[in-house]
Structures are given as structure tokens and as C-alpha cells.
Amino acid sequence: MAGRAEPPDGGWGWMVVLSAFFMSALVFGVLRSFGVFFVEFVAAFEEQAARVSWIASIGIAVQQFGSPIGSALSTKFGPRPVVMTGGILAALGMLLASFATSLPHLYLSIGLLSGSGWALTFTPTLACLSRYFSCRRSLAMGLALTGVGLSSFAFAPLFQWLLNRYAWRGALLLVSALSCHIVACGALLRPLSLAEDTAVGGPGAQLTSLLHHGPFLRYTVALTLINTGYFVPYVHLVAHLQDLGWDPLSAAFLLSVAAISDLVGRVASGWLGDAVPGPVARLLMLWTTLTGVSLALFPVAQASIALVVLAVAYGFTSGALTPVAFSVLPELVGTGRIYCGLGLLQMVESVGGLLGAPLSGYLRDVTGNYTASFVVAGAFLLAGSGILITLPHFFSCFSAPTSSPQDLVTEALDAKVSLPREEGLGEE
Amino acid sequence: MVLQKVELHTPMSPLDESGQTFNPGQTGSTPAPPPEAFIEDGPLAFCNPLRIRHRRGWFRSGENRLNLQRLQGRERESDSPFTSVPVREEMMGKYSNLSSESHNISLTEHSSMPVEKNITLESSSIITLTCQYTTLGNLNSINVTWKKDDELLKNFSLAITGNTLYTEYTTTVINSKQMGSYSCLFEDEKEQRGTFNIKVPELHGKNKPLITYVGDSTVLVCKCQHCYPLHWTWYRSNGSIQVPIDVHTKEKYVVSGAYRNETKLKIKHLLEEDGGSYWCHAVFQLGESEEQLELVVLSFLVPLKPFLAIIAEAVVLVAVILLCEVYTQKKKKHPDEGKEFEQIEQLKSDDSNGIENNAPRQRKNESVSQ
């Protein structure tokens, strides 16, 4: 069957945006709001806080490391069956967790089972979205990823209400029912065949070609570095503010302000990414540099006004780099290899994400305050943005068309940037 | 026997006029008198000169219209303004580790009623309550009384300095009978009252009901921030009656507590009947303090209904999406099929025309051949 030459850039694509919106809400919104369950688990299982927080960490790790598998399966079978299976797995994991009698039980059910469900869901959906759009890809990405931010506003109070009414067992049961809607999101992902699909071959061939793809590898390194620094504010900002003498309520409020500006940044950057000609990688470099600078300035700011401004700036710029990061990838590797590219990207950059927060914590323990942590995080971001300059067509005045197989080779790494945020918030 | 304390007026008094604590041993200029004790009917009273503050002391009778009744017993003849009596040694040992506290209320003729002070006591103590009343009028015409929960008290002292009338009441609190509200009343034109509320520490906990499921086990916690009860007891309530919990049935209830100021009741193998109100009592030397905890035991069916409803809704959603897609694909095929159908119809009609033409020929041929 002959595929289309160009992505539809609309039409059913907007339904895919809707699907991606709800999916990112149900995957990362749930992960982020899991902190609400944290207190209940500590009391119910009489375990230490560190051991309970492993539940979310395992879930995030499985989701990230399992991404290539989700991608490979999507390449072979199309995104729809894979995402629907992922939804069923995620819901099943939560269902089994509601019967848990000990903490390892939760590690396996939520961490492993739901985590693998999420692995089969997130990457294929976003990759499918990239295939549906070319001119408005960044905007579509930005709109879809707002689901993460909005859901963490909605789910945290919702989960707390569920806990008050049904205790943690009943609440997990209902979160499982909620996760079933991922299956509905998957049903919306109509398969799309594009012209270059036949050119790039099956998942094994794609993975091999990606691993030999210079720009893709460079992009992977850049995003890994970006990921390392990206999470630090979400994990340590509250503690840093309390060190400066802020009370917990004001500190949490500041995080909410940053989250709102993050939301605005995502949509604005998505629109900008499509409106500005030239490779999207340049915008990514701009946002990454600004994020790195605002991070590095955090220790310098002492006055409340300065901190609020910096938090807003950080929120906006880090939200802005998210959709752009996903958009650069199709430009580099092409929409034919997007599934595998995205999966591989997620897996490698997760190393940065998993190392970033503990490294920052270690620096804090060694130096006694967060100055070193924030400066190092900013440095990682700037290093990552530096590597972005090495991407092909960086200095050209027009953007390369995304459908031709030659361009597939040059795009690679857009997807990663949004991921660090979601991952780090599991620790909140 | 009534004992009163009165003010020392001599300027050569060993008391520090600025109000600092007088410790005879520390000044060095006067010999340190031994600590004194008074024996009264009822509670034992100590008067410790180390605690003398601000214009308190002993007054020999005759120099003022305020009386000092002498104690029965031996009185030391000396220039020392203190008197002493022998104290039974066993009683000394019994009460030697009592703590002592003093509390003060200031009133004027313009004070708004009522002026109260809350005193929290856990264990036996000697309490000294002082009220001072400042007015520009005539202090001598004021009638001073002390009451405990509307019962008149007798053993209090009075003193006047300048514009202020001081009155003091000391009591030893050793059991719950001495807890309550102690009031000093000054009857001037208006009655001014100061009240000291002596209570055991209260327990303040979270009032959220604890929700659990059948078959689970749960832990009820009672904590007291700054108090250390002698022990804790747990009760259940059926309506208004509190029934003690039998904690020796180890299969069901386990009481534990890591620190003295908290207690935990673990209930295993929960049943629906285990739901209700639970009470933890903190027992002090001077009384008890209690807190109510609410336990709700749900069966699994309670969250199951919304669960099934949401799952059903998700299934319906998936079905609708897939059916819509199948429907739109069919619609797309139908216009194409429509064109093909017409073509097939045309071919068929051509064929049938051909066959009809052929058939008669064949028959004709056949008929001819025969």
C-alpha cells in the first residue's frame, strides 16, 4: 500500500493531539501526583520514606528503559495495539497494587507492571503525533504536553480526596480505572503510512541505522546532559527556599507559579517553533541556554522578587524547550524512524535524569548549600546546548523537509527535553 | 490552723527591694536560715526562702494590723525574720521532690471580666497563686476572698504596698481533688476576679476518621507533645459508654509505644463491627485526659462500584471510537463501490443481452439439427 508523501498536518492529527494530551496526563500526571500516596504508604507499611520513594523511581526507570521496546513494537505493529496493551498493563498494575500487603508487592505491581505499561504508551503516542504533523509539529507537541502540567494541578487534589474517602486501597483501585482511559487514547491513534516507511525497514534495521547516525548520537548526548541538569529545581528548589528562610507554603506556591509559566512556555514555544523558519534545533539551543542561565542565577538571587522572577523564567524556558526537543527528532531521523529514535533517545537520556537529582543532592551534602548544585545543573544545560550547535543544518536559513530519507539521518533528539521534567517530578 | 504571710517593711530587710530572688546563702552578710516548713491540716505546705520574691517575707506581730498567728511548736528566738518548726522526716522525704510553681494575675479597677490564667500540671506540685490589685482608691476598704470552685478558702495572705494590694494563696496539689479553678476576688465598687484554672495536660490530635478495609490491620496513635503520662489506657465506646479494651487478646489488639508521650493501638483482622469511636486516656498523677479517634471499616464493595462504573465507561468509549472509525471507512468505500457497481451492472446487462440473443440461436440450432 503506497503511503502519503507528506504528513497530513491536521485533520485526524488533531484527534491524535487530544489523545496525546490525555495520555500524558494519565501517565505523567499520575506519576507526579504519586507523592500524595507517599505519606499513606509510609504509615500503612511502617517503612522509611526512602524505601517508599523507590516505587515512583522504579516506575520511571522502567518507563524510560522500556521505551525502545515500545518503539520497536510500534514500528512493527503500529502504535494502536501497543498503546492499548500498555494501557491495560498500567491499569492492571494499579489494580494489583490495591491488594498489596507489603512494600515489595508495590515495587512489582506499580513499579514494574505499570511502568512497563507506561513504557508502551508514552513514546509511541508522541512518535505517532510527530508523524501526523510537519509544519505545525511543535505546536501540536506543545499542546499535547500541556496535559502533564494541567493534570498535576488536577490530580493532586483529586488523589487526596480519594484517599480521604476510600483510603489508599480504594484510591488505587479508582486510579486503575482512570488509567483504563489510556486504552481509549490508544484507540484514537489511527495508523498512518508515510512514504518513507518502506525505505527504512523493520525495527531491527532502524535501530542499527540510528546507532550509526552521527547527528542522532550527538543529539542523544546533548539531551542527556540537558536532562542531568533539568530536574534539579523541581527536586531541590523547595529545600533551597527553606534554607533561605521561606516557609513551606510560600515555597510550594512558588513551584506552582513555575508550573503555570511552564504551561505557558510549552504552548508559546510550540507555536514559535512552527512560525520561525529554520531548523528547530536553534530554538532548542536558545531555550536551553536561557534555562541554564536562569538555573545558574538561582544561588545569586536572595531577594524574594528576584527568586520569583527567576522561578517564572525557569518555568517558562524549561517548558519552552520541551516541545521543541520532541520536534527536533523527526527533523533529524525522519518520521519513518521516529518510533525507534524516540525510544532510544528516552532510554539514554534517562541516565542523565536518574543521575541528576542524586548528584545535586550529593553536592549539597558536600558543600552545605545548594549553590554548587544549581551552578552545576546550569553548566550541564549549557554544555548540552553547546553540543546542539554541532547538529547539521544548524546555520541554514531554511528548515530541511522532514519527509525525505536523507533528512531522516540528521534529526534525532527533540523528544528528550520534555522527558526530564516528568521524570524528576515523580520524586516530589 | 491558719497561717498567713505578711510583708516585711524594715529597710534593713535581707530582701532585695528590686524584686530579685533572695538567697540567704548567697549574700553572705546574713546567716542562711534553714528552709522552713509549715504543717497544716490537710496538705503539707512548704515555705522556701529561696523562693521569696518581690516584697514577701515574715512579719512579727504587733507592728502592723495584719496578723501573724504563731505556729504550734517550737519557734526559734533569733533576729532572723524566719520562723521554723520541726518537720517530720518521713514527710520531708516524701515531698522533697515536689516541684513548685508560682503564677500571677494583675488586676485594676478597670479590668474587663474575667481575667483567667491556665495552669497545666502533670504531677504533684506546690502552687503559689498571687493576685495583685492596683487602684487609686482606698485599699483598706477592699474585701479580698479566695474561692475554689465556689468554695471559700481561708489560708491566704494579704499585703499592701503603695497603690497595690497583694494577696497570695499557696497549696500543694497531690491528687485530682485539688485540681480545679481557683479565684481571687476583690470587692471594690465592682467585683474584680482573677481565675487560675489548674488542669491536667490536654491531648490534641488529628480528628480525621481513619478509613480501613475488612481484613486489614491498622494503628491508632495518641500523642502528647510536652507531657509524660504515667500510663495510657484504651477504650471503645458503644454510644456513650466507654468500654475498656482487653489488650491481652494478642491476636486482635497490640498496645505499644516507642516513647512515654505516645501510645499505639494496633488492631488486626479488622471486621466491620470494629468501626466506631476509640478513646485513649492519658493517666497522670493528678487526673486523666482523653482523646477520641474515629475508625471506619469499609468492605471492598464500597470502592468497587465506582471502579466498575468507570471501567464500563472506558470500554464504551473505546467501542465508540473504533466503531466510528469502521463506519467512516465504510462510508469511504461505499462511493467507490457505487461506481464499480454501476459498471458491473452495465457489463451484466451487456452479458445478459448477449445470452438472450445466444439462447434463441442455440435453440433454433438445436431444433434445426433435430
Side-chain angles (χ1 to χ4, degrees):
Chain A
M1 185 163 69
R4 307 168 63 119
E6 281 287 326
D9 233 345
W12 189 254
W14 295 114
M15 294 301 279
V16 179
V17 170
L18 193 71
S19 160
F21 176 87
F22 282 111
M23 185 276 312
S24 52
L26 288 168
V27 172
F28 283 111
V30 170
L31 262 179
R32 283 195 193 187
S33 308
F34 230 72
V36 177
F37 281 93
F38 179 83
V39 178
E40 300 290 322
F41 288 149
V42 169
F45 294 107
E46 289 165 346
E47 289 273 5
Q48 288 173 332
R51 298 198 50 167
V52 173
S53 47
W54 271 105
I55 299 173
S57 302
I58 293 177
I60 296 168
V62 172
Q63 185 264 318
Q64 292 178 330
F65 283 103
S67 296
I69 301 174
S71 308
L73 289 172
S74 303
T75 317
K76 190 147 174 160
F77 300 110
R80 176 181 275 169
V82 177
V83 175
M84 290 175 81
T85 314
I88 294 176
L89 281 179
L92 197 66
M94 290 283 173
L95 179 67
L96 290 176
S98 69
F99 294 103
T101 51
S102 66
L103 204 57
H105 196 147
L106 285 178
Y107 291 157
L108 290 175
S109 57
I110 298 180
L112 199 62
L113 200 55
S114 289
S116 33
W118 293 327
L120 292 179
T121 313
F122 190 70
T123 312
T125 308
L126 286 182
C128 180
L129 185 63
S130 316
R131 285 164 60 89
Y132 265 87
F133 286 89
S134 70
C135 296
R136 292 195 229 149
R137 183 177 293 140
S138 296
L139 181 63
M141 281 287 178
L143 285 173
L145 291 170
T146 53
V148 185
L150 285 174
S151 66
S152 46
F153 277 123
F155 281 173
L158 176 70
F159 285 6
Q160 191 57 55
W161 180 82
L162 284 176
L163 281 170
N164 288 346
R165 200 178 156 87
Y166 296 107
W168 63 269
R169 288 190 192 273
L172 277 177
L173 202 63
L174 293 174
V175 171
S176 158
L178 203 65
S179 298
C180 271
H181 289 87
I182 297 178
V183 183
C185 291
L188 281 172
L189 300 176
R190 277 194 203 162
L192 187 72
S193 56
L194 297 172
E196 66 260 13
D197 289 348
T198 46
V200 294
Q206 284 189 30
L207 276 170
T208 330
S209 70
L210 280 172
L211 287 172
H212 288 7
H213 192 227
F216 175 75
L217 294 171
R218 289 200 290 275
Y219 190 58
T220 311
V221 171
L223 272 190
T224 309
L225 289 171
I226 291 171
N227 224 1
T228 314
Y230 188 93
F231 291 109
V232 168
Y234 282 93
V235 182
H236 292 302
L237 186 62
V238 176
H240 175 63
L241 288 174
Q242 290 186 347
D243 275 355
L244 288 177
W246 286 50
D247 66 289
L249 202 62
S250 310
F253 179 69
L254 193 65
L255 266 188
S256 304
V257 167
I260 294 174
S261 71
D262 163 82
L263 220 62
V264 173
R266 285 181 197 235
V267 182
S269 156
W271 173 82
L272 200 68
D274 296 321
V276 168
V280 194
R282 289 200 287 215
L283 278 176
L284 181 62
M285 196 207 151
L286 170 72
W287 297 125
T288 316
T289 313
L290 287 175
T291 313
V293 166
S294 62
L295 261 187
L297 285 177
F298 259 112
V300 178
Q302 297 288 326
S304 304
I305 304 276
L307 282 168
V308 171
V309 167
L310 269 183
V312 170
Y314 168 77
F316 188 85
T317 51
S318 60
L321 57 84
T322 309
V324 179
F326 278 104
S327 302
V328 169
L329 190 62
E331 283 183 6
L332 278 178
V333 303
T335 46
R337 289 189 292 181
I338 187 67
Y339 289 113
C340 284
L342 199 53
L344 206 55
L345 186 66
Q346 279 231 18
M347 184 179 89
V348 178
E349 71 172 2
S350 67
V351 173
L354 287 171
L355 288 179
L359 176 68
S360 156
Y362 170 74
L363 284 172
R364 197 273 190 227
D365 288 338
V366 166
T367 60
N369 59 23
Y370 285 100
T371 307
S373 319
F374 279 108
V375 170
V376 166
F380 271 112
L381 277 160
L382 291 171
S385 70
I387 297 185
L388 287 174
I389 302 182
T390 65
L391 291 178
H393 303 292
F394 191 81
F395 295 104
S396 66
C397 292
F398 55 91
S399 59
T402 56
S403 303
S404 62
Q406 287 88 3
D407 296 329
L408 297 178
V409 177
T410 53
E411 296 174 343
L413 299 166
D414 291 280
K416 279 195 182 166
V417 185
S418 32
L419 294 167
R421 243 205 351 208
E422 280 74 309
E423 297 153 306
L425 284 161
E427 298 177 32
E428 272 185 24
Chain B
M1 175 181 71
V2 170
L3 187 68
Q4 287 182 332
K5 292 179 227 172
V6 297
E7 190 182 36
L8 192 67
H9 278 297
T10 60
M12 296 294 288
S13 87
L15 289 174
D16 186 344
E17 289 287 310
S18 66
Q20 287 172 0
T21 308
F22 166 67
N23 186 343
Q26 286 172 358
T27 53
S29 55
T30 46
E36 297 181 337
F38 293 90
I39 302 176
E40 296 185 3
D41 301 331
L44 192 67
F46 278 80
C47 178
N48 188 343
L50 290 173
R51 286 189 52 251
I52 295 173
R53 303 170 298 124
H54 196 57
R55 299 165 191 244
R56 264 194 298 145
W58 295 104
F59 213 86
R60 292 217 179 252
S61 64
E63 293 196 28
N64 196 300
R65 58 193 171 95
L66 296 170
N67 290 324
L68 175 67
Q69 275 196 337
R70 287 169 194 255
L71 289 173
Q72 292 170 3
R74 191 167 53 86
E75 195 179 325
R76 260 190 314 172
E77 299 290 340
S78 67
D79 291 326
S80 162
F82 303 101
T83 60
S84 65
V85 290
V87 175
R88 291 198 297 257
E89 278 200 9
E90 53 270 31
M91 289 180 91
M92 275 291 277
K94 194 171 172 184
Y95 294 104
S96 62
N97 59 354
L98 282 180
S99 60
S100 48
E101 291 180 22
S102 56
H103 300 272
N104 188 18
I105 283 183
S106 299
L107 295 167
T108 65
E109 57 201 356
H110 307 295
S111 298
S112 57
M113 296 260 285
V115 178
E116 289 197 19
K117 193 166 184 183
N118 290 328
I119 303 169
T120 309
L121 278 187
E122 279 181 41
S123 51
S124 308
S125 303
I126 307 165
I127 302 292
T128 304
L129 307 170
T130 312
C131 287
Q132 59 187 55
Y133 184 72
T134 311
T135 184
L136 295 169
N138 187 8
L139 287 172
N140 292 333
S141 60
I142 297 172
N143 192 13
V144 180
T145 46
W146 281 84
K147 281 187 183 173
K148 176 192 181 302
D149 301 325
D150 293 331
E151 180 198 308
L152 270 177
L153 301 169
K154 296 179 207 166
N155 307 335
F156 58 92
S157 67
L158 280 177
I160 298 176
T161 314
N163 284 334
T164 311
L165 176 64
Y166 295 89
T167 180
E168 185 180 287
Y169 179 73
T170 301
T171 182
T172 310
V173 182
I174 47 171
N175 58 44
S176 54
K177 280 189 283 185
Q178 286 101 39
M179 308 289 278
S181 290
Y182 290 80
S183 306
C184 57
L185 294 117
F186 297 94
E187 281 175 45
D188 200 0
E189 281 142 46
K190 259 188 328 181
E191 184 186 77
Q192 293 289 352
R193 180 185 220 162
T195 308
F196 299 88
N197 296 314
I198 306 184
K199 294 184 208 165
V200 282
E202 283 180 2
L203 301 173
H204 296 286
K206 51 182 195 280
N207 297 321
K208 259 189 350 180
L210 205 63
I211 303 181
T212 51
Y213 287 93
V214 173
D216 236 345
S217 61
T218 184
V219 176
L220 304 172
V221 179
C222 266
K223 267 191 202 174
C224 186
Q225 271 92 19
H226 305 293
C227 60
Y228 298 95
L230 297 174
H231 64 270
W232 297 85
T233 48
W234 284 93
Y235 295 82
R236 280 198 67 176
S237 73
N238 273 338
S240 52
I241 314 163
Q242 290 188 14
V243 175
I245 295 178
D246 180 15
V247 293
H248 297 299
T249 53
K250 289 257 168 157
E251 289 305 312
K252 184 83 176 167
Y253 299 106
V254 177
V255 176
S256 62
Y259 308 101
R260 266 190 69 196
N261 63 342
E262 74 174 13
T263 182
K264 295 184 182 176
L265 177 71
K266 181 167 186 172
I267 312 177
K268 301 186 219 177
H269 312 300
L270 282 165
L271 303 166
E272 287 212 37
E273 304 89 57
D274 287 328
S277 295
Y278 285 79
W279 302 80
C280 64
H281 283 230
V283 178
F284 301 98
Q285 194 178 14
L286 301 172
E288 272 189 19
S289 176
E290 65 183 18
E291 190 191 348
Q292 183 182 18
L293 297 158
E294 192 78 34
L295 182 70
V296 177
V297 182
L298 300 172
S299 80
F300 239 113
L301 294 175
V302 172
L304 199 65
K305 285 179 228 163
F307 171 75
L308 292 174
I310 298 176
I311 298 261
E313 176 246 326
V315 169
V316 164
L317 207 59
V318 173
V320 163
I321 293 171
L322 291 175
L323 284 176
C324 270
E325 188 167 328
V326 170
Y327 180 69
T328 45
Q329 278 183 359
K330 269 194 181 167
K331 265 185 109 175
K332 279 187 198 164
K333 281 186 196 163
H334 261 88
D336 297 339
E337 286 176 355
K339 290 181 201 161
E340 290 173 17
F341 187 66
E342 284 168 10
Q343 290 173 2
I344 293 170
E345 287 279 87
Q346 269 205 326
L347 287 170
K348 276 191 190 168
S349 57
D350 291 343
D351 284 344
S352 56
N353 288 337
I355 292 168
E356 282 172 16
N357 289 337
N358 285 337
R361 285 186 220 140
Q362 282 180 350
R363 284 192 209 131
K364 282 182 189 170
N365 287 341
E366 283 176 5
S367 62
V368 167
S369 64
Q370 286 178 356

